Amino acid sequence: MKKIEKSIDQVFTTIQKMNGKSSDIKTRKIVQNQWQIGILFLQSVSSDDKISDILIHSIMEIMEDHTVSEKQLFQGLYNHLYNGTIKEITTYQDLFYHLVNGFTAILVEGENKAIVVETKSTLDRGIQESNTETSLRGPKDSFTENIVVNQGLIRKRIKDPNLYFEELFVGRRTKTKINLAYLSDVADQKRVEKIKKRLQEIDIDGILDSGNLRSFLNSQKSVFPKIMSTERPDFVCGFLLEGKIAILVENTPFVLIFPTLLIDFIHTPGDYYQKSYNVNFSRFLRIFGFFITLLVPAAYIAIMTYNPEMIPDKLFISVAVQREGVPFPTAIEILMLGITFELLRECDLRMPSKMGTAISVVGGLVLGDAAVNAGIVSPFAVIIVAITSIAGLLFSDIDMVNALRWWRLIFILFASMCGMIGVVIASILLITHLSTLETFGIPYLTPFAPFYFKEQSDALFLKIKTKIKDRPRYLSYKNKRRLNWEVKK
Amino acid sequence: MKKKLFLFLFISIFSLLLTGCYNYHELENLAIVTGLSIDKNENQYIIGVLIANSKKQEASSKEGQSQTIVYEGKGNSIMEAFYNIDLESPKQLYIGHLAVVVIDENIAKKEIEKISDILIRSPESRKNFYVVIARDTKAKDILKITSPLESYPSQSVSMNLKNNSTYQGISTDLTYSEFIASMLTPGINPTLPTIKMTGSVKEGEKQQNLESTDPKTKLKLDTLAIFRNTNLLGYVSEDESRMINILNRRTSYSLESIQYKDNRIVFHLSNFNIKRKATLKDNKPMMNISLQATAAINEINSNMNLSDPKIITEINQLLEERIKKQILHTIHVTQNEFKSDIFGFGNLFYQKYPKYYSNIELHWDEEEYSKIKMNVKVHIDLETKGSLEQTIRREMYGKTTK
């Protein structure tokens, strides 16, 4: 590690050489009396106002102060500068790191060290409402790209000294700051260590989003998501209180939650803000939607092409009359419609929202209606695909939606090959697959397999909230009790 | 290697998807048979199949608009006749959704077991379709009659059977598997519903028949047909049909009327509880039959005092006697006129006294059945009088009027 030289000019040239004379490196030399002071900062990440109004102003004051002796200038600056964050550094590596983080370096001729002072400019948007996870009730704020703000949003909610933020850096070039947040007296310490070790092992040039970390934290091959990401601070706090661990990554509003199980995708943290009776209905819909989106197209193909005896006469004849003249086999018809829907969805994601109307006109009117009228697809198949797709979008987590899309395809393939038996085979495959998964030692299907009786109070359905007093046992063994409450009459 | 494996899987999956596999049918290649008729000339069977999804009308795809077509085929056996139709029909005949099978009277009289096999042997058929005997007309003609309230004829027949069987009990919705079971179970003889046609076939098969508010040709359910083993013996009357269905627990509701002085009173019967017990004393068979039911007054066409408990008890007694008489009469008819145990009393003896039954099994219907003594108990609870407490005249002018 190269040490900082004594000469200001030499430091200036070295820094400029290091960065290929980038245009945003600004230097200034102040000469007064016998003293020479160099100021060095990156214009792109620092606030000009802070530097000129406060920093240079206070430097001038100190230099004019004749009580400061010649040799004490460095110490005097260090003690008297008007700033909260001030550090003394000696190497170029440190110097550059602080410069890109919006610090200003103050060099004194003849000293081989530098003072860095925080003069960061705010490059972040403010705290806004989340537009990926909305709920009718509950706080509206969401995380931003600034990790300190994100920490603050969590701290604001949990004012407990046991809330730890463990910091580490990943990425050779991006030096991305990562924070592990957990409640030290609730979360499983072994799990924290394990995650920390995994993160430290990552040797990659850059981490741009928390999504980059996913594949490093998950060793099993599966389309099902085992890490949930959210941009709602209240959701994260809810998980932390349960005993889970959150990973905050610099420059992204999405916070990862560990460990995540299948059941967490059926629940939404917003459930706990409402009456449990009403929540149970929407949970039922979500579970129902899970099965509809997986099974309906497959069951349709299986019944219509292999086992038509299974449905009532009137329905059967109605479908048969509708299929009259459709040139494609049922399976192809469903696949075609399904792919059309996915195309529309992909378009909608990529296009700016102003184009949305055009897409829905083309998708809904032209493709749907015209395809039926032209006799390319039967109206019943359109209904099937529509129901399937709508049910698939019930889940707020995009990874879950995409995972179900893959498995829907597998179900369709099996159904088109061997009918109802194929659907059964695919179901067995799915259950087998799900039960082989685990996240950080917890089986993915917990609390159903393995079955925990006590945890059923908040599994498929939510019991009255005053009756759920303990944390889920599979998440944390220590500090189990959450609620002390006797029903008062 | 991996690429090859992937390619292999890809091709195999799509080849399976595109070509047919075992039992694979596309719907548009199926001719959905919902009705089947079986007739016979001198030596050949003539079958008619009613196909429900024959033609798509313009762009409409509603079920109500499906048109029907009847194909006819001849053959020495039912299956051969089916093959014959396959030559005419562009689509493959599919009998999975068969709703009604209409059988000609003459076949039922002699050889119903000869035509029963194919429908139960075929793995495609669901065995829960209804069997009905065409009376005084060709079975095929029944299929042809367009029906005003349902989209296709077989649907109309099956709905009619189901409703009548539940709410009145003159006809019965015996499914094919039940029919075969009662044919094969020792000590029970089957009964089958019958159907008639009023008007001419030529009128009935036309679409104009539907457009008229008073269609010239209609289908009408008729009374039960009585079988002994596999042969049709004859038909019973409406009252007898009703009693047979009540005693066989095949109806949930029924009607009964009595004459009380000048008044005609119609009752609606429900909540039947029928107990049938076989006893054998000194080798003399006896049946204890007890019938409990609730009655409600449906209609009175005169002016009597309904709030008088005496009159109510009297009416109740009359109704009980009437029903008891009906039961005894109906059993008597089957014992002596038809000599056919359609109630399954023989089966009760077979279960309880197998030794006794095995001795007389062969001539149970012809001889032993008529020797059974009947001990009938009827208990009716007259519960409500409907929406009126009194007769209409008394409600309007007070109780003093006579």
Side-chain angles (χ1 to χ4, degrees):
Chain A
M1 268 191 235
K2 208 179 169 192
K3 291 258 179 186
I4 293 173
E5 285 103 348
K6 286 187 177 179
S7 151
I8 294 175
D9 292 319
Q10 211 168 346
V11 176
F12 283 175
T13 45
T14 318
I15 281 288
Q16 268 171 349
K17 213 184 268 174
M18 261 174 85
N19 201 221
K21 292 189 179 158
S22 290
S23 57
D24 57 343
I25 298 177
K26 297 290 166 192
T27 58
R28 171 155 183 213
K29 215 165 160 186
I30 302 170
V31 183
Q32 191 164 10
N33 305 335
Q34 68 279 39
W35 295 325
Q36 284 184 31
I37 286 177
I39 293 170
L40 183 62
F41 61 93
L42 291 184
Q43 200 182 18
S44 51
V45 289
S46 325
S47 150
D48 262 340
D49 292 349
K50 281 187 193 168
I51 295 168
S52 7
D53 289 357
I54 303 165
L55 196 68
I56 298 184
H57 192 80
S58 70
I59 290 173
M60 290 310 216
E61 266 178 20
I62 294 162
M63 283 167 79
E64 279 162 15
D65 187 353
H66 295 288
T67 54
V68 179
S69 68
E70 196 178 329
K71 285 185 180 173
Q72 283 172 332
L73 180 66
F74 188 86
Q75 204 55 43
L77 284 169
Y78 191 80
N79 290 341
H80 292 101
L81 279 178
Y82 303 161
N83 203 299
T85 321
I86 188 161
K87 272 185 204 166
E88 191 185 308
I89 52 162
T90 52
T91 62
Y92 273 109
Q93 205 184 359
D94 267 356
L95 180 63
F96 194 77
Y97 176 75
H98 283 99
L99 285 179
V100 295
N101 272 311
F103 282 71
T104 300
I106 299 162
L107 306 155
V108 177
E109 180 73 32
E111 299 274 357
N112 58 353
K113 47 192 177 183
I115 297 170
V116 286
V117 182
E118 199 260 349
T119 52
K120 201 179 275 179
S121 69
T122 42
L123 295 177
D124 307 298
R125 60 192 171 105
I127 297 169
Q128 288 166 340
E129 205 172 313
S130 162
N131 45 22
T132 55
E133 291 162 88
T134 48
S135 60
L136 288 175
R137 285 279 168 79
K140 302 262 181 202
D141 53 350
S142 71
F143 287 126
T144 70
E145 281 75 16
N146 188 330
I147 193 167
V148 182
V149 173
N150 294 352
Q151 278 175 317
L153 289 172
I154 297 174
R155 273 269 192 241
K156 203 170 91 177
R157 289 184 165 81
I158 304 176
K159 301 172 184 82
D160 183 358
N162 290 314
L163 172 63
Y164 286 8
F165 286 102
E166 279 197 49
E167 191 168 85
L168 42 103
F169 294 88
V170 180
R172 282 194 306 273
R173 288 182 196 278
T174 56
K175 300 267 186 317
T176 311
K177 198 193 275 183
I178 288 173
N179 265 308
L180 272 178
Y182 58 94
L183 288 174
S184 64
D185 57 343
V186 178
D188 189 353
Q189 197 60 39
K190 271 186 204 158
R191 212 167 280 144
V192 175
E193 293 304 324
K194 217 171 168 182
I195 293 173
K196 218 159 66 182
K197 212 179 139 215
R198 284 264 183 96
L199 287 173
Q200 277 161 350
E201 279 167 1
I202 302 171
D203 184 19
I204 190 172
D205 57 345
I207 295 286
L208 297 175
D209 179 69
S210 50
N212 289 137
L213 292 176
R214 278 168 183 265
S215 42
F216 299 108
L217 293 164
N218 177 12
S219 48
Q220 284 172 313
K221 273 185 195 167
S222 171
V223 289
F224 282 98
K226 294 197 284 183
I227 301 160
M228 186 188 258
S229 64
T230 172
E231 55 169 356
R232 290 271 301 264
D234 55 319
F235 289 1
V236 171
C237 292
F239 288 127
L240 288 176
L241 289 174
E242 265 185 7
K244 294 189 178 175
I245 301 154
I247 297 181
L248 285 74
V249 179
E250 197 180 5
N251 298 326
T252 174
F254 289 98
V255 172
L256 302 181
I257 306 291
F258 279 91
T260 310
L261 309 171
L262 183 67
I263 197 76
D264 291 316
F265 294 101
I266 289 166
H267 300 169
T268 70
D271 284 357
Y272 303 98
Y273 305 154
Q274 293 176 28
K275 271 191 171 254
S276 49
Y277 305 108
N278 302 337
V279 168
N280 283 340
F281 189 78
S282 36
R283 278 198 186 170
F284 166 75
L285 285 182
R286 267 173 249 152
I287 296 160
F288 193 57
F290 182 89
F291 289 110
I292 281 187
T293 194
L294 276 178
L295 292 173
V296 162
Y300 172 72
I301 292 168
I303 289 173
M304 290 308 159
T305 54
Y306 290 91
N307 312 80
E309 309 83 33
M310 287 174 71
I311 55 169
D313 301 5
K314 278 193 166 182
L315 178 64
F316 181 65
I317 288 164
S318 159
V319 177
V321 172
Q322 286 177 26
R323 269 208 52 87
E324 204 63 38
V326 175
F328 302 108
T330 315
I332 299 285
E333 191 188 6
I334 292 281
L335 279 178
M336 256 170 38
L337 278 171
I339 288 169
T340 313
F341 171 79
E342 296 297 338
L343 277 177
L344 285 174
R345 187 159 80 90
E346 206 63 23
C347 277
D348 209 30
L349 285 178
R350 307 282 166 251
M351 276 289 144
S353 54
K354 280 175 190 164
M355 311 273 270
T357 26
I359 292 169
S360 58
V361 165
V362 171
L365 289 174
V366 180
L367 288 179
D369 207 36
V372 169
N373 282 336
I376 296 171
V377 292
S378 66
F380 206 79
V382 176
I383 295 173
I384 293 286
V385 171
I387 284 183
T388 310
S389 315
I390 290 293
L393 295 176
L394 270 177
F395 302 93
S396 56
D397 197 289
I398 190 71
D399 293 299
M400 196 66 194
V401 175
N402 292 346
L404 289 177
R405 181 168 66 182
W406 273 117
W407 273 93
R408 192 189 308 145
L409 212 61
I410 294 173
F411 270 88
I412 287 175
L413 287 182
F414 273 92
S416 56
M417 282 188 291
C418 20
M420 243 12 207
I421 297 166
V423 176
V424 173
I425 293 170
S427 308
I428 293 170
L429 281 181
L430 175 65
I431 292 168
T432 319
H433 173 69
L434 282 175
S435 47
T436 56
L437 297 181
E438 56 168 34
T439 41
F440 289 92
I442 307 177
Y444 196 53
L445 289 179
T446 314
F448 306 117
F451 189 80
Y452 292 105
F453 182 74
K454 231 181 152 189
E455 272 66 29
Q456 299 301 317
S457 56
D458 181 19
L460 282 183
F461 296 107
L462 182 65
K463 231 168 132 182
I464 297 169
K465 269 163 273 173
T466 50
K467 286 186 180 167
I468 306 172
K469 296 185 174 173
D470 293 337
R471 295 201 162 74
R473 202 182 346 162
Y474 51 87
L475 285 177
S476 162
Y477 279 98
K478 37 184 190 179
N479 205 337
K480 270 169 75 176
R481 176 91 358 168
R482 294 184 76 173
L483 174 74
N484 291 309
W485 170 269
E486 294 306 322
V487 181
K488 286 160 186 113
K489 281 179 182 166
Chain B
M1 185 60 212
K2 228 179 180 181
K3 207 174 167 186
K4 271 185 189 168
L5 191 77
F6 179 73
L7 210 71
F8 170 73
L9 278 175
F10 188 81
I11 289 168
S12 59
I13 282 172
F14 275 87
S15 60
L16 282 167
L17 218 154
L18 291 168
T19 65
C21 336
Y22 169 70
N23 212 11
Y24 174 88
H25 306 288
E26 280 296 341
L27 281 191
E28 65 268 25
N29 301 331
L30 295 180
I32 303 166
V33 177
T34 59
L36 172 68
S37 68
I38 304 172
D39 292 287
K40 198 181 182 190
N41 61 12
E42 294 76 45
N43 41 26
Q44 274 192 318
Y45 290 108
I46 307 165
I47 67 164
V49 292
L50 177 88
I51 290 159
N53 61 331
S54 74
K55 199 162 71 188
K56 194 176 182 182
Q57 269 191 348
E58 287 153 24
S60 163
S61 49
K62 291 193 193 89
E63 178 250 352
Q65 255 114 10
S66 73
Q67 284 204 331
T68 51
I69 184 166
V70 178
Y71 280 114
E72 193 185 271
K74 287 179 190 170
N76 292 327
S77 67
I78 308 287
M79 204 59 217
E80 279 161 301
F82 260 116
Y83 284 135
N84 207 334
I85 292 174
D86 259 342
L87 296 176
E88 286 176 27
S89 161
K91 297 179 179 187
Q92 192 194 346
L93 293 181
Y94 165 76
I95 59 166
H97 278 81
L98 191 57
V100 172
V101 173
V102 188
I103 296 172
D104 182 62
E105 217 176 357
N106 296 323
I107 296 182
K109 274 178 184 155
K110 287 175 228 151
E111 45 187 35
I112 202 160
E113 83 275 11
K114 285 191 185 166
I115 59 161
S116 307
D117 181 76
I118 170 73
L119 290 173
I120 210 138
R121 194 180 293 278
S122 160
E124 206 175 65
S125 84
R126 284 198 297 192
K127 283 96 184 172
N128 63 350
F129 51 84
Y130 301 136
V131 188
V132 60
I133 305 267
R135 236 171 120 173
D136 310 329
T137 172
K138 277 202 290 179
K140 194 191 157 196
D141 294 344
I142 301 286
L143 290 187
K144 283 184 183 169
I145 310 301
T146 52
S147 48
L149 293 179
E150 284 290 344
S151 37
Y152 42 93
S154 58
Q155 181 72 22
S156 139
V157 173
S158 71
M159 286 293 280
N160 203 352
L161 279 172
K162 210 186 278 177
N163 285 334
N164 188 286
S165 165
T166 318
Y167 296 107
Q168 204 185 355
I170 288 178
S171 199
T172 179
D173 56 346
L174 196 77
T175 63
Y176 190 66
S177 54
E178 285 170 325
F179 169 67
I180 296 291
S182 61
M183 220 160 66
L184 301 180
T185 315
I188 298 182
N189 283 323
T191 53
L192 277 183
T194 58
I195 197 162
K196 258 184 181 170
M197 186 180 68
T198 55
S200 76
V201 201
K202 279 200 175 159
E203 291 282 336
E205 65 186 14
K206 284 179 189 153
Q207 197 71 20
Q208 285 97 303
N209 194 39
L210 284 185
E211 283 155 13
S212 157
T213 44
D214 180 22
K216 293 278 175 306
T217 312
K218 285 181 238 174
L219 294 177
K220 189 187 168 200
L221 292 181
D222 213 331
T223 54
L224 291 181
I226 304 295
F227 280 73
R228 189 194 299 143
N229 298 325
T230 55
N231 300 328
L232 187 143
L233 300 176
Y235 307 98
V236 286
S237 72
E238 277 186 23
D239 282 347
E240 288 156 2
S241 294
R242 218 180 266 137
M243 278 305 146
I244 290 169
N245 279 328
I246 291 174
L247 286 179
N248 278 340
R249 303 188 184 99
R250 293 209 60 90
T251 179
S252 323
Y253 307 98
S254 189
L255 294 172
E256 194 58 73
S257 49
I258 58 166
Q259 190 75 28
Y260 175 70
K261 292 173 190 165
D262 305 343
N263 313 297
R264 188 79 182 162
I265 310 176
V266 184
F267 295 93
H268 178 248
L269 301 176
S270 58
N271 293 337
F272 293 110
N273 183 4
I274 293 129
K275 283 184 186 131
R276 312 191 301 181
K277 205 176 158 195
T279 50
L280 197 65
K281 256 184 194 169
D282 310 327
N283 237 8
K284 278 178 187 156
M286 187 158 111
M287 282 298 305
N288 295 303
I289 299 168
S290 93
L291 181 145
Q292 279 183 358
T294 339
I297 295 175
N298 242 4
E299 188 187 351
I300 301 176
N301 58 4
S302 150
N303 180 25
M304 49 190 279
N305 189 1
L306 276 180
S307 46
D308 188 350
K310 255 189 193 170
I311 293 179
I312 293 294
T313 341
E314 232 172 293
I315 291 173
N316 201 342
Q317 266 177 1
L318 268 175
L319 180 63
E320 282 177 2
E321 273 165 30
R322 158 90 184 161
I323 292 175
K324 187 173 172 179
K325 219 174 110 190
Q326 284 283 339
I327 293 175
L328 285 172
H329 166 75
T330 310
I331 294 174
H332 186 81
V333 167
T334 62
Q335 277 182 324
N336 301 311
E337 206 174 302
F338 292 108
K339 291 185 191 297
S340 167
D341 182 8
I342 50 168
F343 299 103
F345 294 149
N347 188 258
L348 295 175
F349 282 100
Y350 166 70
Q351 284 171 15
K352 208 170 172 188
Y353 308 104
K355 269 187 191 163
Y356 161 78
Y357 187 78
S358 63
N359 289 332
I360 53 161
E361 194 179 355
L362 289 175
H363 38 92
W364 168 259
D365 278 313
E366 287 85 346
E367 293 171 25
E368 300 296 325
Y369 175 51
S370 51
K371 288 181 193 162
I372 309 179
K373 273 193 174 173
M374 295 291 158
N375 179 16
V376 179
K377 276 181 197 162
V378 178
H379 179 79
I380 304 289
D381 294 317
L382 186 54
E383 275 188 349
T384 73
K385 303 165 191 166
S387 303
L388 281 180
E389 185 61 27
Q390 272 292 355
T391 53
I392 190 160
R393 184 164 294 212
R394 277 169 190 270
E395 284 284 340
M396 288 169 85
Y397 298 109
K399 283 159 195 165
T400 46
T401 326
K402 216 189 162 194

